[in-house]
């Protein structure tokens, strides 16, 4: 049976084929600069200004970029780890929060003051800050208003349960602060990596452009990472 791909699928496959990560590009630069001093390459590229000193300078900058990429990878991993811990803890707190809101809504049915103060008729916010504010208000109201506290104890929301949720929310806020710190550090590492890459990659591209003109030998081009199409 003959099968055909639609244009969207073909375009997607093409883009995947052409995509190169920064790691891929760093690897290509490393091959080019490491092999720039090989006989048959160094003499010819010297004619357009690629002295041994200039090549060493490019290799030094590449080594710095590699270090920045490693730092960025670590910081991003730290950010993901903190985010994962945050989401797991929030989900555990929210599971009880949802149940408690449902119980309280039934318990205080018709009591406008309680329903309003505890916000059990309001939609639960999606954002972390909005959700945190609603959850804190709910448990702080239950903790501080004696009539609320007494009544909800009858449906299993005891003083111990309320205090535990408040403690968990405080711990969650600490975790959120840590996650924000890791996010900021990850972004800073990404920015530093991107700046170094954006400054070095055009220099590599220029070197390759000159090499394609001056190095007709397929083996020489392949030695610096340029794929040569078979004639």
């Amino acid at each position: 049976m003959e099968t055909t791909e639609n244009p969207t699928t073909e375009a997607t496959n093409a883009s995947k084929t052409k995509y190169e990560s920064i790691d891929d590009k760093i690897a290509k630069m490393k091959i080019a600069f490491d092999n720039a001093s090989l006989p048959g390459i160094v003499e010819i590229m010297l004619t357009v200004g690629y002295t041994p000193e200039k090549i060493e300078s490019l290799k030094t900058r590449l080594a710095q970029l590699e270090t920045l990429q490693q730092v960025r990878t670590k910081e991003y991993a730290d950010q993901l780890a903190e985010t994962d811990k945050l989401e797991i803890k929030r989900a555990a707190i929210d599971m009880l929060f949802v149940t408690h809101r449902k119980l309280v809504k039934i318990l205080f049915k018709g009591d406008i003051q309680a329903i309003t103060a505890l916000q059990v008729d309001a939609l639960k916010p999606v954002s972390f800050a909005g959700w945190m504010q609603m959850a804190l208000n709910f448990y702080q109201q239950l903790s501080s208003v004696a009539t609320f506290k007494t009544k909800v104890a009858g449906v299993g929301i005891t003083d111990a349960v309320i205090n535990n949720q408040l403690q968990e929310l405080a711990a969650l806020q600490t975790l959120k602060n840590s996650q924000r710190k890791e996010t900021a550090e990850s972004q800073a590492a990404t920015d530093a990596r991107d700046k170094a890459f954006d400054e070095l990659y055009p220099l590599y591209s220029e070197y390759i452009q000159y090499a394609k003109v001056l190095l007709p030998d397929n083996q020489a081009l392949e030695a610096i990472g340029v794929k040569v199409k078979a004639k």
Side-chain angles (χ1 to χ4, degrees):
M1 180 183 293
E2 184 178 348
T3 60
T4 59
E5 289 187 337
N6 62 47
T8 301
T9 302
E10 290 175 352
T12 300
N13 290 341
S15 65
K16 285 181 178 178
T17 301
K18 293 178 181 178
Y19 176 77
E20 282 186 322
S21 68
I22 285 186
D23 282 329
D24 293 331
K25 291 176 180 177
I26 287 174
K28 289 174 68 174
M29 286 191 281
K30 190 170 182 62
I31 291 172
F33 297 153
D34 282 350
N35 291 337
S37 57
L38 290 176
I41 297 176
V42 63
E43 303 93 335
I44 296 175
M45 296 303 290
L46 183 61
T47 64
V48 287
Y50 287 97
T51 64
E53 293 76 18
K54 186 171 182 177
I55 294 299
E56 282 304 311
S57 174
L58 291 172
K59 290 170 71 174
T60 297
R61 294 178 67 169
L62 178 59
Q64 293 168 347
L65 174 58
E66 288 181 287
T67 298
L68 289 172
Q69 173 68 342
Q70 291 164 7
V71 171
R72 187 266 175 187
T73 299
K74 176 189 177 300
E75 293 296 346
Y76 185 58
D78 290 345
Q79 176 195 344
L80 290 181
E82 286 299 288
T83 299
D84 190 52
K85 287 191 287 186
L86 178 74
E87 290 176 350
I88 290 172
K89 180 172 276 294
R90 178 179 173 179
I93 296 170
D94 190 58
M95 185 170 64
L96 279 177
F97 180 38
V98 168
T99 300
H100 292 162
R101 288 188 81 208
K102 289 178 179 178
L103 292 173
V104 165
K105 189 172 183 178
I106 296 169
L107 187 65
F108 288 101
K109 185 176 182 180
D111 187 336
I112 300 300
Q113 179 192 10
I115 293 294
T116 303
L118 296 167
Q119 298 179 306
V120 291
D121 267 349
L123 290 175
K124 194 172 59 168
V126 174
S127 71
F128 179 87
W131 173 88
M132 173 64 83
Q133 186 59 42
M134 175 177 275
L136 279 173
N137 174 76
F138 181 82
Y139 290 108
Q140 286 171 348
Q141 292 278 3
L142 292 182
S143 178
S144 61
V145 180
T147 54
F148 292 172
K149 183 187 291 189
T150 300
K151 196 165 183 178
V152 297
V155 291
I157 309 176
T158 63
D159 197 36
V161 169
I162 294 169
N163 287 334
N164 184 69
Q165 283 288 82
L166 286 170
Q167 289 170 8
E168 287 295 292
L169 286 166
L172 183 66
Q173 185 60 61
T174 298
L175 193 54
K176 179 63 177 177
N177 294 340
S178 176
Q179 188 255 358
R180 283 176 178 149
K181 175 177 173 291
E182 293 296 345
T183 300
E185 290 176 353
S186 176
Q187 186 59 54
T190 299
D191 291 343
R193 186 277 315 271
D194 288 349
K195 182 176 184 295
F197 175 83
D198 291 343
E199 290 174 353
L200 181 58
Y201 196 73
L203 300 180
Y204 157 78
S205 296
E206 186 176 70
Y207 174 83
I208 294 299
Q209 288 169 10
Y210 278 122
K212 285 180 177 179
V213 174
L214 297 174
L215 298 174
D217 186 341
N218 288 2
Q219 288 185 335
L221 284 174
E222 288 174 354
I224 58 171
V226 177
K227 291 184 178 179
V228 180
K229 294 181 180 179
K231 294 181 180 180

